[in-house]
PDB file of all heavy atoms in Angstrom:
ATOM      1  N   ALA X 382     -20.935  -1.404  56.322  1.00  0.00           N
ATOM      2  CA  ALA X 382     -19.607  -1.257  55.763  1.00  0.00           C
ATOM      3  C   ALA X 382     -18.484  -1.612  56.722  1.00  0.00           C
ATOM      4  O   ALA X 382     -17.295  -1.389  56.378  1.00  0.00           O
ATOM      5  CB  ALA X 382     -19.429   0.166  55.215  1.00  0.00           C
ATOM      6  N   VAL X 383     -18.781  -2.091  57.873  1.00  0.00           N
ATOM      7  CA  VAL X 383     -17.745  -2.534  58.819  1.00  0.00           C
ATOM      8  C   VAL X 383     -17.138  -3.820  58.329  1.00  0.00           C
ATOM      9  O   VAL X 383     -17.833  -4.858  58.168  1.00  0.00           O
ATOM     10  CB  VAL X 383     -18.358  -2.708  60.237  1.00  0.00           C
ATOM     11  CG1 VAL X 383     -17.303  -3.243  61.215  1.00  0.00           C
ATOM     12  CG2 VAL X 383     -18.963  -1.399  60.735  1.00  0.00           C
ATOM     13  N   PRO X 384     -15.829  -3.852  58.008  1.00  0.00           N
ATOM     14  CA  PRO X 384     -15.219  -5.089  57.542  1.00  0.00           C
ATOM     15  C   PRO X 384     -15.403  -6.259  58.522  1.00  0.00           C
ATOM     16  O   PRO X 384     -15.213  -6.074  59.732  1.00  0.00           O
ATOM     17  CB  PRO X 384     -13.734  -4.702  57.404  1.00  0.00           C
ATOM     18  CG  PRO X 384     -13.737  -3.206  57.180  1.00  0.00           C
ATOM     19  CD  PRO X 384     -14.871  -2.708  58.022  1.00  0.00           C
ATOM     20  N   GLY X 385     -15.770  -7.399  57.987  1.00  0.00           N
ATOM     21  CA  GLY X 385     -15.974  -8.584  58.796  1.00  0.00           C
ATOM     22  C   GLY X 385     -17.369  -8.648  59.446  1.00  0.00           C
ATOM     23  O   GLY X 385     -17.671  -9.676  60.131  1.00  0.00           O
ATOM     24  N   PHE X 386     -18.202  -7.685  59.247  1.00  0.00           N
ATOM     25  CA  PHE X 386     -19.495  -7.654  59.887  1.00  0.00           C
ATOM     26  C   PHE X 386     -20.378  -8.854  59.512  1.00  0.00           C
ATOM     27  O   PHE X 386     -21.133  -9.403  60.322  1.00  0.00           O
ATOM     28  CB  PHE X 386     -20.255  -6.366  59.583  1.00  0.00           C
ATOM     29  CG  PHE X 386     -21.588  -6.182  60.287  1.00  0.00           C
ATOM     30  CD1 PHE X 386     -21.641  -5.797  61.624  1.00  0.00           C
ATOM     31  CD2 PHE X 386     -22.755  -6.423  59.615  1.00  0.00           C
ATOM     32  CE1 PHE X 386     -22.856  -5.657  62.248  1.00  0.00           C
ATOM     33  CE2 PHE X 386     -23.981  -6.277  60.274  1.00  0.00           C
ATOM     34  CZ  PHE X 386     -24.034  -5.885  61.569  1.00  0.00           C
ATOM     35  N   TYR X 387     -20.288  -9.282  58.267  1.00  0.00           N
ATOM     36  CA  TYR X 387     -21.139 -10.368  57.782  1.00  0.00           C
ATOM     37  C   TYR X 387     -20.515 -11.755  57.909  1.00  0.00           C
ATOM     38  O   TYR X 387     -21.130 -12.743  57.500  1.00  0.00           O
ATOM     39  CB  TYR X 387     -21.523 -10.107  56.337  1.00  0.00           C
ATOM     40  CG  TYR X 387     -22.460  -8.923  56.140  1.00  0.00           C
ATOM     41  CD1 TYR X 387     -21.941  -7.678  55.893  1.00  0.00           C
ATOM     42  CD2 TYR X 387     -23.837  -9.071  56.252  1.00  0.00           C
ATOM     43  CE1 TYR X 387     -22.815  -6.575  55.720  1.00  0.00           C
ATOM     44  CE2 TYR X 387     -24.689  -7.984  56.110  1.00  0.00           C
ATOM     45  CZ  TYR X 387     -24.156  -6.723  55.839  1.00  0.00           C
ATOM     46  OH  TYR X 387     -25.000  -5.666  55.704  1.00  0.00           O
ATOM     47  N   ASP X 388     -19.338 -11.850  58.486  1.00  0.00           N
ATOM     48  CA  ASP X 388     -18.681 -13.148  58.647  1.00  0.00           C
ATOM     49  C   ASP X 388     -19.574 -14.093  59.446  1.00  0.00           C
ATOM     50  O   ASP X 388     -20.027 -13.753  60.560  1.00  0.00           O
ATOM     51  CB  ASP X 388     -17.342 -12.983  59.377  1.00  0.00           C
ATOM     52  CG  ASP X 388     -16.322 -12.280  58.525  1.00  0.00           C
ATOM     53  OD1 ASP X 388     -16.602 -11.979  57.336  1.00  0.00           O
ATOM     54  OD2 ASP X 388     -15.227 -11.970  59.056  1.00  0.00           O
ATOM     55  N   GLY X 389     -19.855 -15.285  58.925  1.00  0.00           N
ATOM     56  CA  GLY X 389     -20.592 -16.286  59.634  1.00  0.00           C
ATOM     57  C   GLY X 389     -22.089 -16.187  59.495  1.00  0.00           C
ATOM     58  O   GLY X 389     -22.810 -17.061  60.012  1.00  0.00           O
ATOM     59  N   VAL X 390     -22.629 -15.132  58.895  1.00  0.00           N
ATOM     60  CA  VAL X 390     -24.075 -14.953  58.788  1.00  0.00           C
ATOM     61  C   VAL X 390     -24.756 -16.165  58.127  1.00  0.00           C
ATOM     62  O   VAL X 390     -24.325 -16.639  57.047  1.00  0.00           O
ATOM     63  CB  VAL X 390     -24.426 -13.676  58.013  1.00  0.00           C
ATOM     64  CG1 VAL X 390     -25.918 -13.669  57.605  1.00  0.00           C
ATOM     65  CG2 VAL X 390     -24.115 -12.460  58.829  1.00  0.00           C
ATOM     66  N   VAL X 391     -25.781 -16.704  58.791  1.00  0.00           N
ATOM     67  CA  VAL X 391     -26.536 -17.803  58.221  1.00  0.00           C
ATOM     68  C   VAL X 391     -27.548 -17.209  57.214  1.00  0.00           C
ATOM     69  O   VAL X 391     -28.441 -16.473  57.583  1.00  0.00           O
ATOM     70  CB  VAL X 391     -27.270 -18.596  59.310  1.00  0.00           C
ATOM     71  CG1 VAL X 391     -28.203 -19.665  58.681  1.00  0.00           C
ATOM     72  CG2 VAL X 391     -26.302 -19.246  60.267  1.00  0.00           C
ATOM     73  N   GLU X 392     -27.306 -17.488  55.942  1.00  0.00           N
ATOM     74  CA  GLU X 392     -28.126 -16.904  54.900  1.00  0.00           C
ATOM     75  C   GLU X 392     -29.523 -17.567  54.862  1.00  0.00           C
ATOM     76  O   GLU X 392     -29.675 -18.730  55.198  1.00  0.00           O
ATOM     77  CB  GLU X 392     -27.458 -17.064  53.535  1.00  0.00           C
ATOM     78  CG  GLU X 392     -26.096 -16.394  53.467  1.00  0.00           C
ATOM     79  CD  GLU X 392     -26.180 -14.889  53.410  1.00  0.00           C
ATOM     80  OE1 GLU X 392     -27.277 -14.344  53.119  1.00  0.00           O
ATOM     81  OE2 GLU X 392     -25.134 -14.217  53.648  1.00  0.00           O
ATOM     82  N   LEU X 393     -30.496 -16.784  54.381  1.00  0.00           N
ATOM     83  CA  LEU X 393     -31.811 -17.326  54.180  1.00  0.00           C
ATOM     84  C   LEU X 393     -31.807 -18.400  53.086  1.00  0.00           C
ATOM     85  O   LEU X 393     -31.112 -18.261  52.077  1.00  0.00           O
ATOM     86  CB  LEU X 393     -32.760 -16.223  53.731  1.00  0.00           C
ATOM     87  CG  LEU X 393     -33.407 -15.347  54.808  1.00  0.00           C
ATOM     88  CD1 LEU X 393     -33.984 -14.083  54.206  1.00  0.00           C
ATOM     89  CD2 LEU X 393     -34.486 -16.106  55.559  1.00  0.00           C
ATOM     90  N   THR X 394     -32.535 -19.470  53.310  1.00  0.00           N
ATOM     91  CA  THR X 394     -32.692 -20.483  52.272  1.00  0.00           C
ATOM     92  C   THR X 394     -33.837 -20.091  51.344  1.00  0.00           C
ATOM     93  O   THR X 394     -34.680 -19.246  51.670  1.00  0.00           O
ATOM     94  CB  THR X 394     -32.970 -21.874  52.869  1.00  0.00           C
ATOM     95  OG1 THR X 394     -34.281 -21.812  53.536  1.00  0.00           O
ATOM     96  CG2 THR X 394     -31.933 -22.249  53.906  1.00  0.00           C
ATOM     97  N   ASP X 395     -33.847 -20.706  50.203  1.00  0.00           N
ATOM     98  CA  ASP X 395     -34.979 -20.489  49.240  1.00  0.00           C
ATOM     99  C   ASP X 395     -36.300 -20.829  49.899  1.00  0.00           C
ATOM    100  O   ASP X 395     -37.329 -20.127  49.689  1.00  0.00           O
ATOM    101  CB  ASP X 395     -34.770 -21.263  47.962  1.00  0.00           C
ATOM    102  CG  ASP X 395     -33.597 -20.737  47.125  1.00  0.00           C
ATOM    103  OD1 ASP X 395     -33.183 -19.595  47.350  1.00  0.00           O
ATOM    104  OD2 ASP X 395     -33.118 -21.512  46.278  1.00  0.00           O
ATOM    105  N   ARG X 396     -36.340 -21.909  50.703  1.00  0.00           N
ATOM    106  CA  ARG X 396     -37.552 -22.306  51.353  1.00  0.00           C
ATOM    107  C   ARG X 396     -38.016 -21.254  52.337  1.00  0.00           C
ATOM    108  O   ARG X 396     -39.220 -20.930  52.415  1.00  0.00           O
ATOM    109  CB  ARG X 396     -37.363 -23.644  52.059  1.00  0.00           C
ATOM    110  CG  ARG X 396     -38.637 -24.150  52.738  1.00  0.00           C
ATOM    111  CD  ARG X 396     -38.408 -25.370  53.586  1.00  0.00           C
ATOM    112  NE  ARG X 396     -39.599 -25.759  54.288  1.00  0.00           N
ATOM    113  CZ  ARG X 396     -39.623 -26.510  55.387  1.00  0.00           C
ATOM    114  NH1 ARG X 396     -38.453 -26.945  55.922  1.00  0.00           N
ATOM    115  NH2 ARG X 396     -40.753 -26.839  55.981  1.00  0.00           N
ATOM    116  N   GLU X 397     -37.072 -20.694  53.141  1.00  0.00           N
ATOM    117  CA  GLU X 397     -37.438 -19.669  54.106  1.00  0.00           C
ATOM    118  C   GLU X 397     -37.962 -18.447  53.392  1.00  0.00           C
ATOM    119  O   GLU X 397     -38.968 -17.831  53.850  1.00  0.00           O
ATOM    120  CB  GLU X 397     -36.234 -19.335  54.982  1.00  0.00           C
ATOM    121  CG  GLU X 397     -35.910 -20.449  55.983  1.00  0.00           C
ATOM    122  CD  GLU X 397     -34.573 -20.196  56.672  1.00  0.00           C
ATOM    123  OE1 GLU X 397     -33.618 -19.750  56.017  1.00  0.00           O
ATOM    124  OE2 GLU X 397     -34.477 -20.468  57.878  1.00  0.00           O
ATOM    125  N   ARG X 398     -37.330 -18.037  52.323  1.00  0.00           N
ATOM    126  CA  ARG X 398     -37.802 -16.863  51.588  1.00  0.00           C
ATOM    127  C   ARG X 398     -39.215 -17.108  51.041  1.00  0.00           C
ATOM    128  O   ARG X 398     -40.029 -16.210  51.015  1.00  0.00           O
ATOM    129  CB  ARG X 398     -36.817 -16.509  50.494  1.00  0.00           C
ATOM    130  CG  ARG X 398     -35.419 -16.162  51.011  1.00  0.00           C
ATOM    131  CD  ARG X 398     -34.512 -15.614  49.942  1.00  0.00           C
ATOM    132  NE  ARG X 398     -34.709 -14.186  49.756  1.00  0.00           N
ATOM    133  CZ  ARG X 398     -33.853 -13.425  49.080  1.00  0.00           C
ATOM    134  NH1 ARG X 398     -32.760 -13.945  48.507  1.00  0.00           N
ATOM    135  NH2 ARG X 398     -34.088 -12.121  48.943  1.00  0.00           N
ATOM    136  N   ALA X 399     -39.456 -18.315  50.565  1.00  0.00           N
ATOM    137  CA  ALA X 399     -40.786 -18.662  50.027  1.00  0.00           C
ATOM    138  C   ALA X 399     -41.835 -18.633  51.149  1.00  0.00           C
ATOM    139  O   ALA X 399     -42.953 -18.170  50.913  1.00  0.00           O
ATOM    140  CB  ALA X 399     -40.742 -20.019  49.337  1.00  0.00           C
ATOM    141  N   LEU X 400     -41.471 -19.121  52.336  1.00  0.00           N
ATOM    142  CA  LEU X 400     -42.402 -19.100  53.430  1.00  0.00           C
ATOM    143  C   LEU X 400     -42.735 -17.686  53.876  1.00  0.00           C
ATOM    144  O   LEU X 400     -43.881 -17.349  54.203  1.00  0.00           O
ATOM    145  CB  LEU X 400     -41.850 -19.913  54.609  1.00  0.00           C
ATOM    146  CG  LEU X 400     -41.825 -21.417  54.414  1.00  0.00           C
ATOM    147  CD1 LEU X 400     -41.023 -22.097  55.535  1.00  0.00           C
ATOM    148  CD2 LEU X 400     -43.242 -21.992  54.370  1.00  0.00           C
ATOM    149  N   PHE X 401     -41.752 -16.833  53.927  1.00  0.00           N
ATOM    150  CA  PHE X 401     -41.994 -15.404  54.231  1.00  0.00           C
ATOM    151  C   PHE X 401     -42.966 -14.782  53.210  1.00  0.00           C
ATOM    152  O   PHE X 401     -43.840 -14.010  53.568  1.00  0.00           O
ATOM    153  CB  PHE X 401     -40.699 -14.608  54.272  1.00  0.00           C
ATOM    154  CG  PHE X 401     -39.827 -14.851  55.501  1.00  0.00           C
ATOM    155  CD1 PHE X 401     -38.571 -14.254  55.569  1.00  0.00           C
ATOM    156  CD2 PHE X 401     -40.245 -15.676  56.492  1.00  0.00           C
ATOM    157  CE1 PHE X 401     -37.775 -14.426  56.681  1.00  0.00           C
ATOM    158  CE2 PHE X 401     -39.404 -15.885  57.617  1.00  0.00           C
ATOM    159  CZ  PHE X 401     -38.172 -15.267  57.692  1.00  0.00           C
ATOM    160  N   ALA X 402     -42.733 -15.184  51.940  1.00  0.00           N
ATOM    161  CA  ALA X 402     -43.554 -14.599  50.877  1.00  0.00           C
ATOM    162  C   ALA X 402     -45.011 -15.029  50.954  1.00  0.00           C
ATOM    163  O   ALA X 402     -45.890 -14.385  50.329  1.00  0.00           O
ATOM    164  CB  ALA X 402     -42.969 -14.978  49.526  1.00  0.00           C
ATOM    165  N   GLU X 403     -45.294 -16.149  51.691  1.00  0.00           N
ATOM    166  CA  GLU X 403     -46.712 -16.589  51.828  1.00  0.00           C
ATOM    167  C   GLU X 403     -47.508 -15.683  52.745  1.00  0.00           C
ATOM    168  O   GLU X 403     -48.746 -15.686  52.699  1.00  0.00           O
ATOM    169  CB  GLU X 403     -46.739 -18.010  52.403  1.00  0.00           C
ATOM    170  CG  GLU X 403     -46.293 -19.081  51.442  1.00  0.00           C
ATOM    171  CD  GLU X 403     -46.504 -20.476  52.017  1.00  0.00           C
ATOM    172  OE1 GLU X 403     -47.485 -20.678  52.715  1.00  0.00           O
ATOM    173  OE2 GLU X 403     -45.604 -21.340  51.772  1.00  0.00           O
ATOM    174  N   LEU X 404     -46.855 -14.916  53.552  1.00  0.00           N
ATOM    175  CA  LEU X 404     -47.575 -14.057  54.515  1.00  0.00           C
ATOM    176  C   LEU X 404     -48.281 -12.913  53.805  1.00  0.00           C
ATOM    177  O   LEU X 404     -47.735 -12.361  52.821  1.00  0.00           O
ATOM    178  CB  LEU X 404     -46.602 -13.488  55.543  1.00  0.00           C
ATOM    179  CG  LEU X 404     -46.011 -14.534  56.515  1.00  0.00           C
ATOM    180  CD1 LEU X 404     -44.746 -13.970  57.186  1.00  0.00           C
ATOM    181  CD2 LEU X 404     -47.052 -14.970  57.553  1.00  0.00           C
ATOM    182  N   PRO X 405     -49.467 -12.552  54.245  1.00  0.00           N
ATOM    183  CA  PRO X 405     -50.218 -11.473  53.572  1.00  0.00           C
ATOM    184  C   PRO X 405     -49.686 -10.077  54.011  1.00  0.00           C
ATOM    185  O   PRO X 405     -50.344  -9.313  54.713  1.00  0.00           O
ATOM    186  CB  PRO X 405     -51.634 -11.696  54.082  1.00  0.00           C
ATOM    187  CG  PRO X 405     -51.466 -12.337  55.428  1.00  0.00           C
ATOM    188  CD  PRO X 405     -50.259 -13.189  55.333  1.00  0.00           C
ATOM    189  N   PHE X 406     -48.492  -9.794  53.529  1.00  0.00           N
ATOM    190  CA  PHE X 406     -47.833  -8.571  53.905  1.00  0.00           C
ATOM    191  C   PHE X 406     -48.261  -7.397  53.045  1.00  0.00           C
ATOM    192  O   PHE X 406     -48.157  -7.440  51.817  1.00  0.00           O
ATOM    193  CB  PHE X 406     -46.307  -8.732  53.807  1.00  0.00           C
ATOM    194  CG  PHE X 406     -45.518  -7.505  54.189  1.00  0.00           C
ATOM    195  CD1 PHE X 406     -45.618  -6.970  55.440  1.00  0.00           C
ATOM    196  CD2 PHE X 406     -44.663  -6.917  53.268  1.00  0.00           C
ATOM    197  CE1 PHE X 406     -44.873  -5.834  55.793  1.00  0.00           C
ATOM    198  CE2 PHE X 406     -43.911  -5.805  53.611  1.00  0.00           C
ATOM    199  CZ  PHE X 406     -44.027  -5.255  54.873  1.00  0.00           C
ATOM    200  N   ASP X 407     -48.760  -6.331  53.686  1.00  0.00           N
ATOM    201  CA  ASP X 407     -49.177  -5.140  53.002  1.00  0.00           C
ATOM    202  C   ASP X 407     -48.142  -4.032  53.381  1.00  0.00           C
ATOM    203  O   ASP X 407     -48.164  -3.486  54.451  1.00  0.00           O
ATOM    204  CB  ASP X 407     -50.560  -4.714  53.472  1.00  0.00           C
ATOM    205  CG  ASP X 407     -51.106  -3.486  52.787  1.00  0.00           C
ATOM    206  OD1 ASP X 407     -50.314  -2.650  52.292  1.00  0.00           O
ATOM    207  OD2 ASP X 407     -52.340  -3.300  52.746  1.00  0.00           O
TER     208      ASP X 407
END
Side-chain angles (χ1 to χ4, degrees):
V383 176
F386 183 78
Y387 291 92
D388 291 355
V390 166
V391 175
E392 299 288 343
L393 276 164
T394 65
D395 290 342
R396 182 188 175 202
E397 287 170 321
R398 300 187 84 166
L400 288 170
F401 285 176
E403 288 185 37
L404 292 162
F406 179 60
D407 182 337

